[in-house]
Amino acid sequence: AIGAFERKLVTPAPIDEFLAGKTDALTAQQLKGLELFTERCVACHMGPGFGGAIYAQDSPIQSIASTFSGNSANIGGALATTTGDIHVFGSTISGNSAGGGITSSAGGIFTFSGDIVVSTSTVTGNMAPVAGGIGPFANNSGESLTIQGSIVAGNTANVTPDFYAPGGGPANLTVTNSLIGRSDNTSLTPTFGSTPDGNGNFIGGTQTSSAINPLLGPLQDNGGLTRTHALLPGSLAIDAGGNSTP
């Protein structure tokens, strides 16, 4: 009986492709079912499933001058919301993980429906099967991802190691004065050498060989309020940030 059941399984399933950024992988009926689940069922099924450090249902998350490290969940290793924006300012998201299945997404930051803003922060060393660092749910409902004056690099995943862009096209992704390790499945154009792009960014390619190493020291006390990753000599991020406010 188990063998007969397993032979009917479809892997990877459409939901796997959907979470990986293929916005047309689910039918309208499937999208409605997923919406109902995230609105009504997540509270009972969250446990370790969503947001290893902080999970917020139908409300925003704001992180200022904080460090999240060593957390894990099935989805959103550090921070996760169902319906709500996530703002991360002056913070470090490092060494978190999402796991438990091939649909596990966003080792660092995840939202089902909301905008994500990462400003003057570092997102590194996180891991997940999909979107090792940041994963806004790609359901093309107007979500946006803004990265400014930040480092998002050195994360690992089978699909889109550092982040994937939300649905709705390039207009929903804004990156300025930042260092991005890899640009898989985004509208970003890789840069070369020590010359940033027109928005002040250093953008890595889509392969391990073309990724940018941010040259970060270990997570430790570097004299601030929380543990951070110091920039090592030769890092492209030195003196490359812009002026940002929370």
Side-chain angles (χ1 to χ4, degrees):
I2 294 177
F5 168 76
E6 290 182 341
R7 284 193 292 271
K8 294 180 181 179
L9 294 177
V10 178
T11 56
I15 184 64
D16 301 320
E17 297 178 333
F18 188 71
L19 288 172
K22 186 178 180 183
T23 56
D24 60 352
L26 298 182
T27 66
Q29 184 178 14
Q30 290 170 331
L31 285 171
K32 185 62 177 178
L34 183 60
E35 180 181 353
L36 289 173
F37 172 79
T38 59
E39 289 179 352
R40 302 180 184 180
C41 305
V42 169
C44 296
H45 291 275
M46 58 176 271
F50 298 89
I54 298 177
Y55 166 76
Q57 182 179 6
D58 301 330
S59 62
I61 293 175
Q62 184 177 69
S63 167
I64 299 177
S66 301
T67 293
F68 296 91
S69 181
N71 304 286
S72 63
N74 284 340
I75 297 176
L79 309 175
T81 68
T82 48
T83 302
D85 300 340
I86 299 179
H87 289 190
V88 176
F89 181 81
S91 297
T92 300
I93 312 293
S94 172
N96 304 283
S97 64
I102 58 176
T103 61
S104 299
S105 180
I109 305 169
F110 181 88
T111 181
F112 276 107
S113 179
D115 300 325
I116 296 177
V117 177
V118 177
S119 180
T120 60
S121 296
T122 298
V123 180
T124 188
N126 305 287
M127 63 181 65
V130 179
I134 306 171
F137 199 48
N139 62 351
N140 198 12
S141 296
E143 293 80 7
S144 67
L145 171 60
T146 300
I147 302 172
Q148 54 188 23
S150 296
I151 296 173
V152 182
N155 303 285
T156 58
N158 297 328
V159 180
T160 59
D162 285 320
F163 71 91
Y164 60 73
N172 287 5
L173 173 64
T174 302
V175 182
T176 57
N177 298 107
S178 296
L179 187 153
I180 307 298
R182 286 183 56 167
S183 54
D184 309 44
N185 295 325
T186 73
S187 57
L188 300 176
T189 300
T191 58
F192 299 93
S194 59
T195 302
D197 66 13
N199 292 314
N201 300 309
F202 295 103
I203 308 294
T206 60
Q207 303 295 325
T208 302
S209 59
S210 57
I212 294 178
N213 183 343
L215 294 178
L216 301 175
L219 185 65
Q220 62 184 18
D221 182 357
N222 290 302
L225 297 175
T226 64
R227 293 180 299 158
T228 57
H229 292 279
L231 298 177
L232 299 178
S235 173
L236 291 174
I238 294 175
D239 295 329
N243 296 321
S244 301
T245 56

